[in-house]
Amino acid sequence: MELSIHNWMRAETIETTIRRASSLGYTKIEIAGSPEHYDTKEVRKLLKQYGLSCWGSVTLMLGDRNLLAKDEAQRSKSIQYVKDVARMVKELDGHMISVVPGTVGKIIPDGRPEEEWQWAVDSLQDVYHYTESSGILIGIEPINRFETYFVNRGDQALALAAAVGPDCGVCLDTFHMNIEEDDLYEAIKRAKGKLVGFHVADNNRMAPGMGMLNWSKILETLDQIGYNEVLSVEFCSPLDRTPANPYPNSIDEHPENLSPEQKKFLEDHGSASVSEEFYTMLTQKSFETLSKLIK
């Protein structure tokens, strides 16, 4: 099993992220789903230079991106966005993309349950046909109820994946699972044979090892179902703006390369652009916690 890290959690150049990850022992990166921001030829050079490879990407379903929108034109635009993410991953020799079907932050439905289910299935099947021909796997990712009303648990994601196609899988995330699943370990077991990605953050969305999750048992459960691919670190640290803050100088007051959608995403998740010192600590803590447990 290898360790990967996302690069959307801090405003910095992709080279800065790759250089740090490599220096701390990571072997892979899961690149943010913003294909318009990356020259894949240059990113490939950087990955080779620092001895990393691309594991995949995660869709950033912000703004009007919504695979189950009532408006057909909006759905079509969203489908093309996910295909563009898949194309980027293909150009970087990556393996998978995790797909959140609905808009992150949207908690009011557009239609009846049966209508939205069909819109989601149709949209994902369009994406699926594209990714199948490209050799890229897609994993439907459940996220918690405060970020979406659609697909919050692993069993929902598995049902949607089954409706999309035989090679459609799921991507689970420990932070969201800790909120939504009745038994985190049983949810992992139910995903046996369908798990194409696994995101890791602690119960407080800090780095693994900085909360209450039992990482030894989580990795043992992954081993039991035969998942030995990649753990993708995806903390999104909440920032303490009170005198009780245990991490002074954690906020980056002058962020660089922070797109409007990244800024909104971080702010919506109780965070902001974090300082390099704080981010490096979180990245290192994640590696130290997980590396001694993986086989």
Side-chain angles (χ1 to χ4, degrees):
M1 191 177 287
E2 296 182 72
L3 293 179
S4 175
I5 190 165
H6 286 263
N7 73 309
W8 61 259
M9 294 100 67
R10 183 173 189 271
E12 61 185 18
T13 66
I14 186 67
E15 181 173 7
T16 301
T17 305
I18 290 172
R19 185 192 311 120
R20 181 192 301 103
S22 176
S23 70
L24 293 174
Y26 291 84
T27 57
K28 293 187 178 294
I29 189 167
E30 195 161 329
I31 195 165
S34 301
E36 71 279 8
H37 293 164
Y38 302 111
D39 180 333
T40 52
K41 291 182 179 179
E42 290 302 314
V43 175
R44 283 170 64 96
K45 290 179 183 178
L46 289 170
L47 291 170
K48 183 177 181 180
Q49 178 182 346
Y50 290 100
L52 265 64
S53 61
C54 175
W55 169 238
S57 183
V58 55
T59 57
L60 298 177
M61 302 301 284
L62 304 171
D64 63 353
R65 294 171 184 163
N66 186 3
L67 294 175
L68 50 141
K70 182 176 184 178
D71 182 75
E72 185 176 353
Q74 186 180 353
R75 292 201 307 274
S76 179
K77 181 180 177 182
S78 303
I79 290 167
Q80 186 57 54
Y81 161 70
V82 180
K83 288 180 179 179
D84 290 342
V85 174
R87 175 186 48 77
M88 174 183 68
V89 171
K90 177 69 174 178
E91 291 176 359
L92 292 174
D93 296 324
H95 180 74
M96 58 78 69
I97 57 172
S98 63
V99 180
V100 174
T103 306
V104 175
K106 185 178 187 299
I107 56 174
I108 299 175
D110 273 6
R112 299 189 307 274
E114 61 273 18
E115 288 180 314
E116 291 194 309
W117 181 261
Q118 194 59 54
W119 291 331
V121 170
D122 291 345
S123 296
L124 284 163
Q125 283 182 335
D126 194 336
V127 171
Y128 176 76
H129 294 317
Y130 178 83
T131 55
E132 281 283 281
S133 64
S134 303
I136 302 297
L137 293 175
I138 58 174
I140 298 167
E141 181 176 1
I143 63 175
N144 71 78
R145 73 192 73 180
F146 306 108
E147 299 185 53
T148 184
Y149 61 90
F150 189 79
V151 183
N152 307 123
R153 306 186 313 277
D155 57 354
Q156 295 171 318
L158 287 166
L160 185 54
V164 172
D167 293 324
C168 184
V170 300
C171 177
L172 299 180
D173 183 307
T174 54
F175 170 74
H176 299 295
M177 295 172 74
N178 177 70
I179 296 173
E180 298 294 347
E181 301 292 351
D182 56 353
D183 188 316
L184 185 151
Y185 311 106
E186 290 301 316
I188 293 173
K189 291 176 183 177
R190 289 193 292 269
K192 181 178 181 179
K194 288 293 184 179
L195 192 61
V196 301
F198 198 78
H199 294 167
V200 291
D202 226 307
N203 66 289
N204 51 7
R205 217 166 194 181
M206 296 288 276
M210 298 179 71
M212 299 188 297
L213 293 185
N214 186 337
W215 292 101
S216 178
K217 188 171 180 180
I218 289 171
L219 268 67
E220 286 175 5
T221 308
L222 289 170
D223 185 58
Q224 288 173 21
I225 68 167
Y227 181 81
N228 60 358
E229 295 285 346
V230 170
L231 301 178
S232 289
V233 171
E234 195 189 23
F235 52 74
C236 184
S237 54
L239 293 176
D240 190 337
R241 292 172 171 82
T242 75
N245 184 6
Y247 305 106
N249 304 316
S250 55
I251 301 176
D252 187 349
E253 300 290 353
H254 304 288
E256 299 179 0
N257 300 302
L258 185 67
S259 69
E261 65 181 16
Q262 282 180 303
K263 182 175 184 291
K264 175 173 172 50
F265 190 87
L266 289 169
E267 290 175 347
D268 286 350
H269 288 73
S271 190
S273 185
V274 298
S275 66
E276 183 166 9
E277 175 188 351
F278 186 50
Y279 184 82
T280 299
M281 182 276 289
L282 294 166
T283 304
Q284 185 168 7
K285 177 65 177 178
S286 301
F287 185 86
E288 290 173 350
T289 298
L290 299 168
S291 61
K292 60 188 177 184
L293 296 174
I294 62 176
K295 297 181 180 180

